[in-house]
Amino acid sequence: MRPQTLKFIVSDIIVIIHYFGVVSSFGIFDRHASSSDTSSEPQNEIAFGLSSQDYIPASSADDGESSLSYTDRETINGNTEQHLTVTVCQRVSRQVFIGRDATGASYELDTGECRHLTIPTGYHHTENFGEICDVTSPCESNRNRTESNTLLAGDSRYDVIEECTCRKSGQMCGRQTFFKTFFPNSPHEMTIDVGKCSGGCDKDGCDGCFPTRKVTTSIQGPNGEECVEKVVDCSCTSNCRRESWFETYYMVTWDDTKNATVTTKQTFDVGKCTGTCAPRPFCLVRDTRTGKCTSSLNTPTKCSRTSFTTHTFTTPDEMEKTVLTADACVCV
């Protein structure tokens, strides 16, 4: 064989070896890149700027008890290394169908949702991935906006999550700051702390942390003033609950000192029943031998007042008025 021919053969072999080395470095021949791999990845990983190898659902963390954990991942060269990950509270996209426009095309709105995400620590420092949050701590919204959309079915309003926050474990029931923006991107845009109830309950017989007192405030909109409810107090109570609701009257009473009638102002917490009730089964057919119900129908129930306190007084126009204040509420 001639030396020049041998030189060309050696050059070709070097080129082929170099080619396969580069291809292998991109994982084309890596066994993890096989088309037969059926492992499923989260559908919204691209929205966070994470690749399928970087994103790790919070539920798959090793211990599930800490916001920092080690996750085993295999490198391209076959060696197994440990990478430190962190769990964060993050807003993720959630597309909701809200109607159709004039052309009949479907219209969707990103209302968002708050979720735990487990990511490598490097992304937490280089990307905007929210605050570190233990998986045992609820990831909740702390800022919303109300979007108004007029489509074929008419006008509708939807709450859109803008920001999420991590509620620390062990935090007890109470009022939390909750900002809500009304009429966004308009001359009437206004942000108000409407508040919300959040936290744990250790009280027996309660269903959770719910509002027990609200007040209303007015905001200016394109069609005049509108009323907005704001949470004032929260308590651990049942879903069907009594909320404070005040009524104020002038009453005429006799003043022994002045030996005359005087007009005073009196405020009553009449209360109101609010919340939802589960349907109650109503038996339609009962076995005459065993007494067991063989066929039943769920009937709706409502949260209603069950006990009252009566207040009677005389108004300035000399009329007798009676006010009933609710003492308790139950599902009936």
Side-chain angles (χ1 to χ4, degrees):
M1 182 178 296
R2 302 170 66 180
Q4 186 175 4
T5 303
L6 180 60
K7 179 179 179 182
F8 288 145
I9 293 175
V10 172
S11 300
D12 290 341
I13 293 175
I14 293 175
V15 170
I16 293 174
I17 293 175
H18 177 71
Y19 171 78
F20 278 103
V22 172
V23 170
S24 178
S25 67
F26 281 99
I28 296 179
F29 293 107
D30 186 28
R31 58 187 179 89
H32 293 288
S34 174
S35 60
S36 62
D37 187 7
T38 58
S39 61
S40 60
E41 300 293 342
Q43 297 298 319
N44 49 11
E45 61 191 40
I46 298 178
F48 307 112
L50 296 175
S51 68
S52 60
Q53 293 183 355
D54 293 324
Y55 178 85
I56 305 167
S59 59
S60 66
D62 290 345
D63 51 16
E65 297 296 329
S66 174
S67 58
L68 293 174
S69 61
Y70 282 96
T71 302
D72 289 332
R73 303 202 313 172
E74 190 171 359
T75 58
I76 295 176
N77 59 11
N79 296 325
T80 301
E81 297 181 359
Q82 286 187 320
H83 297 266
L84 187 64
T85 61
V86 62
T87 301
V88 297
C89 174
Q90 174 71 21
R91 181 196 187 275
V92 299
S93 176
R94 181 174 181 265
Q95 297 292 334
V96 176
F97 171 79
I98 62 173
R100 299 186 181 278
D101 59 19
T103 64
S106 62
Y107 192 90
E108 292 186 346
L109 180 66
D110 179 13
T111 58
E113 66 176 320
C114 297
R115 287 177 52 188
H116 289 97
L117 297 180
T118 300
I119 60 175
T121 52
Y123 281 98
H124 178 256
H125 295 295
T126 59
E127 305 288 343
N128 182 22
F129 279 108
E131 60 180 321
I132 297 177
C133 186
D134 191 284
V135 292
T136 60
S137 301
C139 179
E140 303 174 337
S141 170
N142 67 339
R143 182 182 288 270
N144 281 15
R145 73 175 185 271
T146 300
E147 288 280 356
S148 178
N149 296 274
T150 303
L151 301 174
L152 288 179
D155 181 69
S156 59
R157 292 185 179 182
Y158 293 85
D159 284 341
V160 176
I161 296 175
E162 290 188 329
E163 293 180 4
C164 300
T165 187
C166 180
R167 175 166 61 83
K168 304 305 179 184
S169 298
Q171 184 175 338
M172 300 307 295
C173 174
R175 183 192 187 276
Q176 305 294 328
T177 300
F178 186 76
F179 291 102
K180 196 169 187 178
T181 301
F182 299 89
F183 310 112
N185 303 312
S186 78
H188 303 285
E189 180 173 329
M190 179 177 292
T191 301
I192 300 176
D193 177 15
V194 297
K196 70 173 183 178
C197 294
S198 180
C201 293
D202 54 6
K203 180 180 177 182
D204 293 336
C206 73
D207 296 324
C209 184
F210 296 103
T212 52
R213 186 190 172 198
K214 296 179 182 177
V215 296
T216 57
T217 186
S218 61
I219 60 174
Q220 190 68 32
N223 300 297
E225 291 186 344
E226 296 187 14
C227 287
V228 175
E229 283 191 336
K230 299 172 63 177
V231 174
V232 177
D233 296 320
C234 303
S235 178
C236 292
T237 181
S238 60
N239 200 3
C240 172
R241 60 196 180 275
R242 181 192 189 278
E243 284 188 7
S244 293
W245 189 256
F246 297 93
E247 292 183 0
T248 302
Y249 299 94
Y250 285 117
M251 64 171 58
V252 176
T253 58
W254 180 263
D255 191 326
D256 292 333
T257 304
K258 296 181 180 180
N259 198 26
T261 59
V262 294
T263 301
T264 59
K265 183 177 68 174
Q266 182 68 40
T267 300
F268 298 97
D269 182 6
V270 296
K272 63 178 181 179
C273 296
T274 185
T276 58
C277 295
R280 184 173 299 171
F282 176 77
C283 186
L284 299 176
V285 180
R286 191 176 299 276
D287 193 316
T288 55
R289 294 179 302 172
T290 62
K292 294 182 178 180
C293 184
T294 58
S295 178
S296 63
L297 178 67
N298 285 335
T299 57
T301 59
K302 62 179 181 178
C303 187
S304 303
R305 296 178 288 183
T306 56
S307 60
F308 308 88
T309 299
T310 303
H311 306 270
T312 304
F313 55 93
T314 302
T315 61
D317 58 2
E318 299 182 350
M319 299 292 293
E320 188 176 87
K321 186 175 184 64
T322 299
V323 174
L324 297 178
T325 58
D327 296 330
C329 304
V330 294
C331 293
V332 294

